[in-house]
Amino acid sequence: MPKRVYIETQGCQMNVYDSGKMLEILQGTLDYLPAEGPEDADLLVLNTCSVREKAFDKALSRLGRFRQQKSLRPGLRIAVGGCVASQEGDQLLRRAPFVDVIFGPQTLQRLPELLRAREETGRAQVDVRFPAIEKFDSLPDPVATGPTAFVSIMEGCSKYCSFCIVPYTRGEEVNRSFADVIAEVYALSGQGVREITFLGQNVNAWQGPHRGQILDLADLIRYASAISGIERIRFTTSHPIEFGARLIEAFAEVPKLAGHLHLPVQSGSDRILARMKRGYTTLEYRSKVRRLRMARPALSLTTDLIVGFPGETDADFAATLALVEEVGFDQSFLFLYSSRPGTPAASLGDQVPDALKRERLETLKALLDSKARALSQAEVGKTLPVLVERRGEPSEDMLSGRSEANHWVHFKGPARLVGQMVPVFVTEGLSNSLRGRLIEPGPGIAEHERTRTQVA
Ligand code: SAM
Ligand code: F3S
């Protein structure tokens, strides 16, 4: 009987990607199959996140539930990966001695080896080092799970924003080679993938040698757009400081590059940005946005904002509201500042009281929501190219896909369109999604290309 593994993922897209790779590695080397739930698994994996406060407690509480399973089935194995595992290492074993394997984001490729060693020695195994390039070298061949796919192009982060734990848990930036990335995109396109998202903490820092030249993300986008079958390209996350002219030009020149960008700003106050060690001013951020919108007028922008960073005054917060008002973000991730032990910001005085942080969060959320609603309603009456990802929501005859701006669009249509890019006329703009009508008859590529040009 093949063994079954259940993987639970906390945190960001990088973790979701890593969990997918863990499953592929376990399937490829130890013949594991995915389990329906923790109850029918032989191996439980918790892929943890430590960006927010109480991450360790959250991981421990989840592990407590895993432990109950283990007390019922002593042969069950428990592995913990991700950023909490990386940060705590074998300390985690003190609090959770029932764990069998602890590994980090850069050692997930060693999971089968660690599990074997656990059986052979009878002892828990810990490996949370950063042999990052090894990870890329040992990633299994990609397996498409639908018409969209993530392609990891770099690992780690070397920016050291004063609040952030990521450089300490995932290590410094390491680039995947040009040849590997393009081979992966090519393989995915052969399996029916139509949209790829280049993934990493700072993808615009990516560089890779190729035929005597050093290529950058803009080159990578151009090469990927030349691969037949690939119809849409996205990338996330990027950092404002490495967002140069070549990448901005790509928005003007590469039609397959989606008209959506996630560009975290964190705060609208220069004083706070300096304390965060972000390396740019709000003027620089605004100027990049202005140039991006010249390159691609319909560009949709999303961002990350932190509320209540130490020392944030009413005036700093007002500056954030003003920036949001001016830029017109289309959805944003809002974070309450949480002190992460070991980061420089953790030792800054002047913490903002919790109640005030929450009050500011609500104010900002209300502003962002009203902007997002207005932008969503402004889509009504347009015909958008939508990549159909699935059917059945909310009812069986419905299809759902995403627009270039990354909005979910729901409309009636036949199941055979899943995996295709189709033109949809938007009839309703809701707060988190759009509703529309399929433009019949089923489109050929030429028709879709015409629609894209009209929209852009
Ligand atoms: N690479 C991205 C960038 O360019 O900023 C950020 C990656 S980080 C994992 C995702 C988001 O988590 C950040 O943009 C930030 O808004 C938020 N974040 C990170 N550390 C935080 C902390 N200590 N408190 C609150 N939010 C935090
Ligand atoms: Fe974190 Fe700043 Fe890097 S938010 S992931 S240190 S760009």
Side-chain angles (χ1 to χ4, degrees):
M1 269 266 285
K3 290 190 169 182
R4 292 186 183 267
V5 54
Y6 179 78
I7 304 178
E8 193 169 297
T9 311
Q10 303 175 329
C12 66
Q13 282 161 328
M14 258 56 79
N15 268 13
V16 173
Y17 180 86
D18 282 352
S19 292
K21 291 294 163 194
M22 287 172 205
L23 179 61
E24 287 172 23
I25 289 169
L26 290 167
Q27 284 178 316
T29 52
L30 302 179
D31 297 326
Y32 271 90
L33 292 177
E36 295 279 313
E39 313 72 34
D40 65 351
D42 303 283
L43 169 64
L44 297 175
V45 181
L46 183 64
N47 192 5
T48 58
C49 167
S50 61
V51 165
R52 315 265 199 108
E53 219 168 344
K54 305 209 172 89
F56 189 39
D57 297 343
K58 207 171 142 198
L60 281 177
S61 107
R62 217 35 221 146
L63 286 172
R65 306 293 291 270
F66 283 10
R67 179 190 204 166
Q68 288 170 6
Q69 294 287 328
K70 195 164 181 170
S71 63
L72 301 173
R73 291 173 293 136
L76 180 71
R77 295 287 173 252
I78 297 177
V80 188
C83 290
V84 172
S86 164
Q87 205 179 2
E88 302 293 330
D90 42 20
Q91 295 291 323
L92 188 56
L93 281 179
R94 295 214 185 130
R95 298 286 299 276
F98 52 90
V99 167
D100 299 282
V101 168
I102 295 175
F103 61 104
Q106 310 299 5
T107 45
L108 62 88
Q109 69 286 358
R110 296 193 181 165
L111 192 48
E113 212 178 296
L114 292 165
L115 286 166
R116 275 194 210 107
R118 159 67 185 87
E119 298 315 318
E120 280 162 25
T121 62
R123 286 198 309 272
Q125 301 294 310
V126 181
D127 187 350
V128 291
R129 289 167 298 146
F130 292 158
I133 206 70
E134 177 191 307
K135 172 175 171 181
F136 285 141
D137 284 348
S138 28
L139 287 182
D141 291 340
V143 181
T145 52
T148 65
F150 287 113
V151 175
S152 171
I153 63 168
M154 63 166 329
E155 265 294 330
C157 181
S158 307
K159 300 291 178 288
Y160 293 96
C161 301
S162 65
F163 53 83
C164 185
I165 197 78
V166 168
Y168 310 96
T169 56
R170 284 191 169 255
E172 296 225 316
E173 288 164 8
V174 179
N175 294 319
R176 192 170 181 196
S177 78
F178 170 78
D180 270 17
V181 172
I182 292 297
E184 182 153 328
V185 177
Y186 191 76
L188 288 166
S189 76
Q191 296 176 43
V193 167
R194 298 289 160 255
E195 174 184 304
I196 51 147
T197 302
F198 288 133
L199 190 64
Q201 293 292 350
N202 283 300
V203 282
N204 49 333
W206 182 87
Q207 290 201 321
H210 178 61
R211 296 193 174 153
Q213 278 186 301
I214 300 292
L215 304 187
D216 61 12
L217 179 63
D219 297 311
L220 206 50
I221 290 167
R222 286 172 199 267
Y223 274 94
S225 76
I227 294 177
S228 91
I230 297 299
E231 296 191 40
R232 195 185 265 167
I233 299 166
R234 303 181 188 274
F235 56 89
T236 195
T237 305
S238 34
H239 191 297
I241 54 171
E242 272 150 336
F243 220 99
R246 285 173 51 73
L247 194 51
I248 294 177
E249 262 163 42
F251 278 94
E253 293 170 5
V254 184
K256 289 183 181 177
L257 181 58
H260 167 241
L261 175 66
H262 185 68
L263 194 61
V265 64
Q266 313 297 358
S267 167
S269 153
D270 287 335
R271 209 177 62 84
I272 295 297
L273 287 177
R275 281 166 76 95
M276 288 177 164
K277 296 215 175 341
R278 287 290 288 178
Y280 54 85
T281 61
T282 52
L283 186 65
E284 284 161 333
Y285 187 88
R286 287 181 162 99
S287 141
K288 299 227 161 152
V289 169
R290 194 173 46 78
R291 281 187 281 150
L292 277 158
R293 289 207 162 126
M294 272 158 57
R296 185 72 74 93
L299 186 75
S300 133
L301 270 176
T302 53
T303 198
D304 291 348
L305 288 157
I306 295 181
V307 177
F309 187 80
E312 185 189 70
T313 62
D314 285 344
D316 295 318
F317 181 62
T320 298
L321 293 176
L323 182 89
V324 166
E325 186 71 58
E326 181 191 324
V327 173
F329 292 111
D330 179 356
Q331 301 292 346
S332 294
F333 295 104
L334 288 184
F335 298 88
L336 277 182
Y337 169 73
S338 78
S339 170
R340 309 309 300 123
T343 61
S347 47
L348 290 175
D350 228 358
Q351 297 283 332
V352 177
D354 257 4
L356 183 56
K357 270 195 221 170
R358 285 179 196 285
E359 192 186 308
R360 288 182 183 163
L361 185 89
E362 288 310 317
T363 309
L364 192 50
K365 190 172 173 312
L367 176 62
L368 285 160
D369 285 352
S370 75
K371 293 263 161 206
R373 262 196 311 277
L375 284 166
S376 176
Q377 276 153 16
E379 300 289 72
V380 175
K382 291 184 188 167
T383 298
L384 306 177
V386 172
L387 177 59
V388 186
E389 293 189 32
R390 55 183 190 234
R391 56 185 280 241
E393 278 175 45
S395 63
E396 270 304 296
D397 57 347
M398 295 292 283
L399 298 176
S400 304
R402 278 177 303 143
S403 68
E404 273 197 64
N406 218 17
H407 293 137
W408 278 101
V409 186
H410 306 291
F411 56 99
K412 269 196 182 138
R416 67 180 159 78
L417 294 182
V418 172
Q420 286 189 36
M421 193 81 82
V422 298
V424 178
F425 179 78
V426 180
T427 53
E428 210 180 333
L430 309 171
S431 45
N432 287 316
S433 63
L434 303 171
R435 279 177 195 276
R437 197 171 61 236
L438 178 67
I439 304 282
E440 298 277 17
I445 293 297
E447 181 174 347
H448 149 239
E449 287 303 334
R450 270 205 303 282
T451 312
R452 183 204 297 280
T453 321
Q454 281 161 13
V455 173

Short mmCIF file of all heavy atoms in Angstrom, two decimals, residues 393-421:
data_model
loop_
_atom_site.label_atom_id
_atom_site.label_comp_id
_atom_site.label_asym_id
_atom_site.label_seq_id
_atom_site.Cartn_x
_atom_site.Cartn_y
_atom_site.Cartn_z
N GLU A 393 -18.45 27.25 -9.95
CA GLU A 393 -18.69 28.18 -8.85
C GLU A 393 -19.46 29.39 -9.34
O GLU A 393 -19.00 30.02 -10.32
CB GLU A 393 -17.36 28.65 -8.25
CG GLU A 393 -16.81 27.65 -7.27
CD GLU A 393 -15.42 28.08 -6.78
OE1 GLU A 393 -15.28 29.28 -6.47
OE2 GLU A 393 -14.53 27.25 -6.76
N PRO A 394 -20.53 29.78 -8.77
CA PRO A 394 -21.22 29.10 -7.67
C PRO A 394 -22.09 27.94 -8.14
O PRO A 394 -22.52 27.12 -7.34
CB PRO A 394 -22.09 30.22 -7.06
CG PRO A 394 -22.28 31.20 -8.16
CD PRO A 394 -21.13 31.06 -9.11
N SER A 395 -22.36 27.80 -9.46
CA SER A 395 -23.16 26.64 -9.89
C SER A 395 -22.46 25.95 -11.05
O SER A 395 -21.55 26.49 -11.66
CB SER A 395 -24.57 27.09 -10.29
OG SER A 395 -24.48 27.95 -11.39
N GLU A 396 -22.93 24.73 -11.33
CA GLU A 396 -22.26 23.84 -12.29
C GLU A 396 -22.05 24.43 -13.69
O GLU A 396 -21.08 24.12 -14.36
CB GLU A 396 -23.08 22.55 -12.43
CG GLU A 396 -22.67 21.45 -11.45
CD GLU A 396 -21.19 21.11 -11.55
OE1 GLU A 396 -20.78 20.63 -12.62
OE2 GLU A 396 -20.44 21.33 -10.57
N ASP A 397 -22.99 25.30 -14.13
CA ASP A 397 -22.85 25.82 -15.50
C ASP A 397 -21.99 27.09 -15.55
O ASP A 397 -21.91 27.75 -16.57
CB ASP A 397 -24.23 26.09 -16.12
CG ASP A 397 -25.05 27.04 -15.26
OD1 ASP A 397 -24.66 27.28 -14.10
OD2 ASP A 397 -26.07 27.54 -15.75
N MET A 398 -21.36 27.42 -14.42
CA MET A 398 -20.57 28.65 -14.38
C MET A 398 -19.08 28.36 -14.57
O MET A 398 -18.58 27.31 -14.17
CB MET A 398 -20.74 29.35 -13.02
CG MET A 398 -22.13 29.84 -12.75
SD MET A 398 -22.61 31.21 -13.82
CE MET A 398 -21.73 32.57 -13.06
N LEU A 399 -18.39 29.30 -15.16
CA LEU A 399 -16.93 29.22 -15.29
C LEU A 399 -16.32 30.38 -14.52
O LEU A 399 -16.94 31.44 -14.37
CB LEU A 399 -16.53 29.34 -16.75
CG LEU A 399 -17.04 28.26 -17.70
CD1 LEU A 399 -16.63 28.60 -19.14
CD2 LEU A 399 -16.47 26.89 -17.31
N SER A 400 -15.09 30.18 -14.04
CA SER A 400 -14.39 31.26 -13.35
C SER A 400 -12.98 31.35 -13.88
O SER A 400 -12.31 30.33 -14.11
CB SER A 400 -14.31 30.97 -11.84
OG SER A 400 -15.59 30.77 -11.32
N GLY A 401 -12.55 32.57 -14.06
CA GLY A 401 -11.18 32.79 -14.50
C GLY A 401 -10.72 34.15 -14.03
O GLY A 401 -11.49 34.88 -13.39
N ARG A 402 -9.48 34.49 -14.34
CA ARG A 402 -8.98 35.78 -13.90
C ARG A 402 -8.68 36.70 -15.08
O ARG A 402 -8.24 36.26 -16.13
CB ARG A 402 -7.76 35.61 -13.02
CG ARG A 402 -8.18 35.27 -11.58
CD ARG A 402 -7.04 35.01 -10.67
NE ARG A 402 -6.21 33.95 -11.16
CZ ARG A 402 -4.88 33.95 -11.05
NH1 ARG A 402 -4.27 34.95 -10.48
NH2 ARG A 402 -4.18 32.94 -11.52
N SER A 403 -8.96 37.97 -14.83
CA SER A 403 -8.66 39.00 -15.83
C SER A 403 -7.18 39.36 -15.70
O SER A 403 -6.50 38.93 -14.78
CB SER A 403 -9.53 40.22 -15.60
OG SER A 403 -9.13 40.84 -14.38
N GLU A 404 -6.72 40.21 -16.62
CA GLU A 404 -5.32 40.66 -16.52
C GLU A 404 -5.04 41.31 -15.18
O GLU A 404 -3.98 41.16 -14.61
CB GLU A 404 -5.05 41.70 -17.61
CG GLU A 404 -4.63 41.12 -18.91
CD GLU A 404 -3.98 42.19 -19.78
OE1 GLU A 404 -2.93 42.72 -19.41
OE2 GLU A 404 -4.55 42.45 -20.85
N ALA A 405 -6.04 42.07 -14.68
CA ALA A 405 -5.86 42.79 -13.41
C ALA A 405 -5.95 41.84 -12.21
O ALA A 405 -5.93 42.30 -11.07
CB ALA A 405 -6.90 43.89 -13.29
N ASN A 406 -6.07 40.55 -12.48
CA ASN A 406 -6.11 39.53 -11.44
C ASN A 406 -7.45 39.47 -10.71
O ASN A 406 -7.52 38.98 -9.60
CB ASN A 406 -4.98 39.77 -10.43
CG ASN A 406 -4.37 38.47 -9.98
OD1 ASN A 406 -4.56 37.42 -10.63
ND2 ASN A 406 -3.65 38.49 -8.86
N HIS A 407 -8.50 40.03 -11.31
CA HIS A 407 -9.84 39.91 -10.73
C HIS A 407 -10.45 38.59 -11.14
O HIS A 407 -10.35 38.20 -12.31
CB HIS A 407 -10.77 41.01 -11.26
CG HIS A 407 -10.39 42.38 -10.82
ND1 HIS A 407 -10.39 43.45 -11.66
CD2 HIS A 407 -9.97 42.86 -9.62
CE1 HIS A 407 -10.01 44.54 -11.01
NE2 HIS A 407 -9.73 44.19 -9.78
N TRP A 408 -11.12 37.94 -10.20
CA TRP A 408 -11.90 36.76 -10.58
C TRP A 408 -13.11 37.22 -11.36
O TRP A 408 -13.78 38.18 -10.98
CB TRP A 408 -12.35 35.98 -9.34
CG TRP A 408 -11.26 35.09 -8.85
CD1 TRP A 408 -10.44 35.33 -7.79
CD2 TRP A 408 -10.83 33.84 -9.42
NE1 TRP A 408 -9.52 34.31 -7.67
CE2 TRP A 408 -9.75 33.39 -8.65
CE3 TRP A 408 -11.25 33.07 -10.51
CZ2 TRP A 408 -9.08 32.19 -8.92
CZ3 TRP A 408 -10.59 31.87 -10.78
CH2 TRP A 408 -9.52 31.44 -9.99
N VAL A 409 -13.39 36.52 -12.46
CA VAL A 409 -14.55 36.85 -13.29
C VAL A 409 -15.39 35.57 -13.40
O VAL A 409 -14.87 34.51 -13.75
CB VAL A 409 -14.11 37.30 -14.71
CG1 VAL A 409 -15.32 37.78 -15.50
CG2 VAL A 409 -13.05 38.38 -14.64
N HIS A 410 -16.69 35.68 -13.06
CA HIS A 410 -17.58 34.52 -13.12
C HIS A 410 -18.59 34.73 -14.25
O HIS A 410 -19.16 35.82 -14.37
CB HIS A 410 -18.34 34.36 -11.80
CG HIS A 410 -17.41 34.30 -10.62
ND1 HIS A 410 -16.58 33.23 -10.38
CD2 HIS A 410 -17.17 35.19 -9.63
CE1 HIS A 410 -15.87 33.46 -9.28
NE2 HIS A 410 -16.20 34.64 -8.80
N PHE A 411 -18.80 33.68 -15.04
CA PHE A 411 -19.73 33.81 -16.18
C PHE A 411 -20.18 32.41 -16.59
O PHE A 411 -19.54 31.42 -16.25
CB PHE A 411 -19.05 34.54 -17.35
CG PHE A 411 -17.77 33.88 -17.81
CD1 PHE A 411 -17.75 33.04 -18.92
CD2 PHE A 411 -16.58 34.07 -17.11
CE1 PHE A 411 -16.58 32.42 -19.33
CE2 PHE A 411 -15.40 33.45 -17.51
CZ PHE A 411 -15.41 32.63 -18.62
N LYS A 412 -21.29 32.38 -17.34
CA LYS A 412 -21.81 31.09 -17.81
C LYS A 412 -21.04 30.63 -19.04
O LYS A 412 -20.71 31.46 -19.89
CB LYS A 412 -23.28 31.24 -18.22
CG LYS A 412 -24.20 30.96 -17.09
CD LYS A 412 -25.62 30.73 -17.57
CE LYS A 412 -26.45 30.51 -16.33
NZ LYS A 412 -27.71 31.15 -16.35
N GLY A 413 -20.77 29.33 -19.11
CA GLY A 413 -20.07 28.84 -20.30
C GLY A 413 -19.82 27.35 -20.18
O GLY A 413 -19.93 26.76 -19.10
N PRO A 414 -19.47 26.71 -21.30
CA PRO A 414 -19.25 25.26 -21.30
C PRO A 414 -17.90 24.87 -20.69
O PRO A 414 -16.92 25.61 -20.84
CB PRO A 414 -19.29 24.90 -22.79
CG PRO A 414 -18.89 26.16 -23.48
CD PRO A 414 -19.30 27.31 -22.63
N ALA A 415 -17.86 23.70 -20.07
CA ALA A 415 -16.66 23.23 -19.37
C ALA A 415 -15.45 23.13 -20.30
O ALA A 415 -14.31 23.28 -19.87
CB ALA A 415 -16.95 21.86 -18.74
N ARG A 416 -15.70 22.91 -21.60
CA ARG A 416 -14.56 22.74 -22.52
C ARG A 416 -13.68 23.98 -22.60
O ARG A 416 -12.57 23.95 -23.11
CB ARG A 416 -15.05 22.34 -23.92
CG ARG A 416 -15.83 23.43 -24.62
CD ARG A 416 -16.31 23.05 -26.01
NE ARG A 416 -17.42 23.89 -26.39
CZ ARG A 416 -17.30 25.15 -26.82
NH1 ARG A 416 -16.10 25.69 -26.96
NH2 ARG A 416 -18.35 25.87 -27.10
N LEU A 417 -14.17 25.12 -22.09
CA LEU A 417 -13.37 26.34 -22.17
C LEU A 417 -12.32 26.45 -21.05
O LEU A 417 -11.49 27.35 -21.08
CB LEU A 417 -14.27 27.58 -22.14
CG LEU A 417 -15.18 27.75 -23.36
CD1 LEU A 417 -15.98 29.04 -23.26
CD2 LEU A 417 -14.36 27.77 -24.66
N VAL A 418 -12.36 25.51 -20.09
CA VAL A 418 -11.36 25.58 -19.01
C VAL A 418 -9.97 25.44 -19.64
O VAL A 418 -9.74 24.57 -20.46
CB VAL A 418 -11.60 24.47 -17.95
CG1 VAL A 418 -10.45 24.43 -16.95
CG2 VAL A 418 -12.92 24.71 -17.24
N GLY A 419 -9.08 26.36 -19.27
CA GLY A 419 -7.73 26.33 -19.84
C GLY A 419 -7.57 27.27 -21.02
O GLY A 419 -6.48 27.41 -21.56
N GLN A 420 -8.67 27.89 -21.45
CA GLN A 420 -8.58 28.80 -22.62
C GLN A 420 -8.75 30.26 -22.20
O GLN A 420 -9.40 30.56 -21.22
CB GLN A 420 -9.68 28.47 -23.61
CG GLN A 420 -9.42 27.20 -24.36
CD GLN A 420 -10.44 27.04 -25.49
OE1 GLN A 420 -10.85 28.00 -26.12
NE2 GLN A 420 -10.84 25.80 -25.71
N MET A 421 -8.18 31.13 -23.01
CA MET A 421 -8.37 32.56 -22.82
C MET A 421 -9.59 32.96 -23.64
O MET A 421 -9.62 32.71 -24.84
CB MET A 421 -7.11 33.27 -23.33
CG MET A 421 -6.98 34.68 -22.96
SD MET A 421 -6.33 34.94 -21.30
CE MET A 421 -4.58 34.78 -21.52
#
